[in-house]
Amino acid sequence: MLLDRDGTLVEDVPFNGDPEKVRPLPGVRAALDRLRAAGLRLGVVTNQSGVARGLFSGSQMAAVHARVEQLLGPFGTWRVCPHEDADGCGCRKPAPGLVWAAAADLGTVPARCVVVGDIGRDVVAAAAAGAAGVLVPTAVTRAEEVAAAAWTAVDLPAAVEEILRRQAAVTPAAVAPWPVSGGGRGTVVVVRADSVGDVLVTGPAVRAVAAGADRVVLVCGPRGRAAADLLPGVDEVIEHPLPWIDPVPAPVDPAEMRGLVGRLAAVGADEAVIFTSFHQSPLPMALLLRMAGVPRVAAISDDYPGSLLDVRHRVPPGVPEPERALSLAAAAGYGLPADEEPTLHLRPEAVPPSPVGPPGYVVLHPGSSVPSRACPPEVAVGIGRALVDAGHRVVVTGTPAERELTAAVAGAGGVDLGGRTGLAELAGVIADAAAVVVGNTGPAHLAAAVGTPVVSLFAPTVPFGQWAPYRVPTVRLGDPTAACRDTRAATCPVPGHPCLAGIQPADVVAALRLLGVTPDRAAAGVAVTATGGSAR
């Protein structure tokens, strides 16, 4: 747990070098003691440009910090940036340097950290390092910073309460397993319909089930099948369109539904876990599973399930989708092994090598299966040109239907792979990239699964806190206050697509710098193999 100092732990006294002016905010000491009692390690990450400006000395700052510890208890590390913005250092928030350093001091990595602060710089630094960020707004916090934050709390005690709640939610419940033969939980059906990104973000929960089951059968729709084939822990995949999930559903065909029930019955499952997004109902699938004879079913449901569910789990809004799914697995009695992180993963053997030159290029993925989340073509073309002009090697990716778009975006000098990669091949391309520039669409979660940083061109039609690339360094761009916010619209409801149309190409170049991605012209020419083609 990494905390900003002024406005988060203590009252914000501008450029304070006087220990006598240190005043803890209400409830902070008790909140910190709760964290310490729970075994969390604490550190402070704070910008203190007063040193560079000569307003107080290093020894005066140390005296202030000693007073903070006297009042609030010890911290495992203090990481301080003494510079001004003009110094161009890598430690002044919103740069992620302090978060990286403090995590190392505490013997961990940013992906296992939560950063709490009161202004946008704090949470931007957290995301750029790959940590979770919690914004506790004060009178100085700008409205756009609140809108852009993935996670907000009214104050530090409230943030601590939610942090501990989320930590407990992914700890497996003491659920009596259904009687099965053998040492495991038998055969478990896991369901995750919808698209590639939805299946990928459920991966940690699927691995949790696999850790306790003898066999895992994943039920998915056609749009998510390619992702299902990449998930670790899956022994078999059943693909079937689900008309209560698909965005353009065919009419319900009783014969097809009977066929699905027959396929499910043939699995001989001992139990099932139905994973859904926050706006979907698990009950139609629960009914089919009951008809298939599955004796125990778990799902998240706010609606009354009758006898369809044995484990009816509930999750408050705002929880990241991977954690939402993990909490359901925990409620059903499944958890990841103690030595395994809850990050997104792919089966290594399923991901082929990248066909593009040496590693270090930037992938630009301008399209999306959901039009409201796609970057406007003219903006994408401008981004591609700016990246090339800045010295980056650029690889443009997209589906066969997006070939005209990818050709235009790659026209300034990028490698055009539009329509030339399946999902596994795309994963290989992204794995060797220095970063991916992409909207809220499947390749963003593919990047998280291979650990590649993301510049997220995020349309706010769905909450960023739930759908941001999970536990990977990320910089968010786009207008979080746009009128389309939280509409879940598939087609932009606002003329001109203002949430993404205002992104400046220079902002993307700056976001890459924040992520530590520098121009890479390692090769005079970038070769493309296997997919057939080349670019300079």
Side-chain angles (χ1 to χ4, degrees):
M1 181 91 167
L2 306 178
L3 303 116
D4 177 52
R5 192 190 82 178
D6 303 316
T8 303
L9 295 174
V10 298
E11 291 181 7
D12 187 0
V13 178
F15 304 113
N16 183 27
D18 182 358
E20 296 303 316
K21 295 181 180 179
V22 173
R23 291 182 289 274
L25 290 168
V28 166
R29 176 62 194 250
L32 295 177
D33 286 345
R34 287 188 69 191
L35 293 171
R36 294 181 180 110
L40 276 72
R41 289 161 286 178
L42 307 182
V44 179
V45 287
T46 178
N47 288 347
Q48 295 297 329
S49 64
V51 175
R53 301 182 189 198
L55 299 176
F56 52 81
S57 67
S59 60
Q60 287 175 306
M61 182 178 67
V64 168
H65 293 170
R67 178 60 175 167
V68 172
E69 290 204 332
Q70 182 183 27
L71 295 171
L72 297 179
F75 295 92
T77 184
W78 284 81
R79 281 289 176 167
V80 179
C81 173
H83 307 107
E84 295 187 77
D85 281 335
D87 293 335
C89 67
C91 56
R92 182 168 174 78
K93 295 178 289 186
L98 293 181
V99 179
W100 281 105
D105 291 343
L106 297 175
T108 188
V109 294
R112 292 177 58 87
C113 294
V114 178
V115 180
V116 183
D118 66 315
I119 59 174
R121 284 174 175 255
D122 299 314
V123 293
V124 170
V134 186
L135 185 69
V136 288
T138 67
V140 303
T141 313
R142 298 197 303 269
E144 58 268 29
E145 294 175 336
V146 177
W151 179 358
T152 62
V154 295
D155 54 21
L156 181 59
V160 168
E161 179 69 27
E162 178 63 6
I163 288 165
L164 295 178
R165 190 204 65 78
R166 292 190 187 186
Q167 185 180 52
V170 297
T171 302
V175 176
W178 195 264
V180 294
S181 60
R185 296 273 291 266
T187 296
V188 181
V189 168
V190 295
V191 182
R192 189 57 174 101
D194 224 329
S195 64
V196 160
D198 300 288
V199 174
L200 290 173
V201 298
T202 312
V206 172
R207 299 199 312 272
V209 173
D214 296 320
R215 179 168 171 254
V216 171
V217 178
L218 173 62
V219 178
C220 69
R223 294 183 302 130
R225 175 59 190 264
D229 289 336
L230 298 179
L231 289 189
V234 176
D235 298 297
E236 180 184 344
V237 177
I238 294 177
E239 176 189 328
H240 201 286
L242 303 178
W244 59 91
I245 295 291
D246 293 340
V248 186
V252 175
D253 185 330
E256 286 192 1
M257 292 298 101
R258 286 192 293 269
L260 177 55
V261 170
R263 294 178 72 184
L264 294 171
V267 170
D270 296 285
E271 54 187 308
V273 184
I274 306 171
F275 296 105
T276 52
S277 290
F278 69 102
H279 61 283
Q280 297 170 341
S281 171
L283 300 184
M285 178 55 75
L287 176 60
L288 297 184
L289 289 163
R290 290 299 199 203
M291 293 171 65
V294 179
R296 183 171 183 266
V297 181
I300 297 171
S301 180
D302 289 324
D303 298 326
Y304 173 63
S307 59
L308 295 179
L309 300 180
D310 299 283
V311 177
R312 179 194 186 189
H313 185 53
R314 294 185 178 182
V315 181
V319 177
E321 288 289 309
E323 293 179 22
R324 186 175 189 274
L326 273 170
S327 74
L328 172 59
Y334 295 100
L336 288 168
D339 60 348
E340 185 172 348
E341 294 298 318
T343 47
L344 277 55
H345 291 311
L346 307 178
R347 292 191 295 112
E349 70 277 8
V351 179
S354 172
V356 183
Y361 46 82
V362 173
V363 169
L364 174 54
H365 189 92
S368 172
S369 60
V370 180
S372 64
R373 302 177 194 171
C375 187
E378 64 277 10
V379 174
V381 169
I383 291 171
R385 183 180 300 112
L387 293 176
V388 171
D389 289 346
H392 291 283
R393 291 185 290 136
V394 178
V395 175
V396 185
T397 58
T399 67
E402 295 166 343
R403 282 175 172 162
E404 184 177 347
L405 171 62
T406 61
V409 174
V415 176
D416 181 11
L417 291 185
R420 295 163 62 189
T421 61
L423 190 69
E425 292 77 18
L426 180 59
V429 171
I430 291 174
D432 273 357
V436 179
V437 182
V438 61
N440 175 27
T441 188
H445 304 297
L446 204 61
V450 297
T452 298
V454 177
V455 177
S456 179
L457 313 179
F458 196 93
T461 52
V462 294
F464 185 68
Q466 290 178 233
W467 290 104
Y470 189 63
R471 294 201 179 195
V472 68
T474 301
V475 175
R476 177 185 185 175
L477 297 178
D479 180 5
T481 67
C484 64
R485 181 181 173 93
D486 294 336
T487 62
R488 298 209 303 268
T491 302
C492 183
V494 184
H497 208 359
C499 66
L500 298 179
I503 294 174
Q504 299 299 310
D507 294 338
V508 177
V509 176
L512 290 172
R513 285 199 300 270
L514 195 63
L515 291 169
V517 177
T518 55
D520 175 18
R521 289 292 191 185
V526 180
V528 180
T529 61
T531 55
S534 63
R536 63 182 178 87

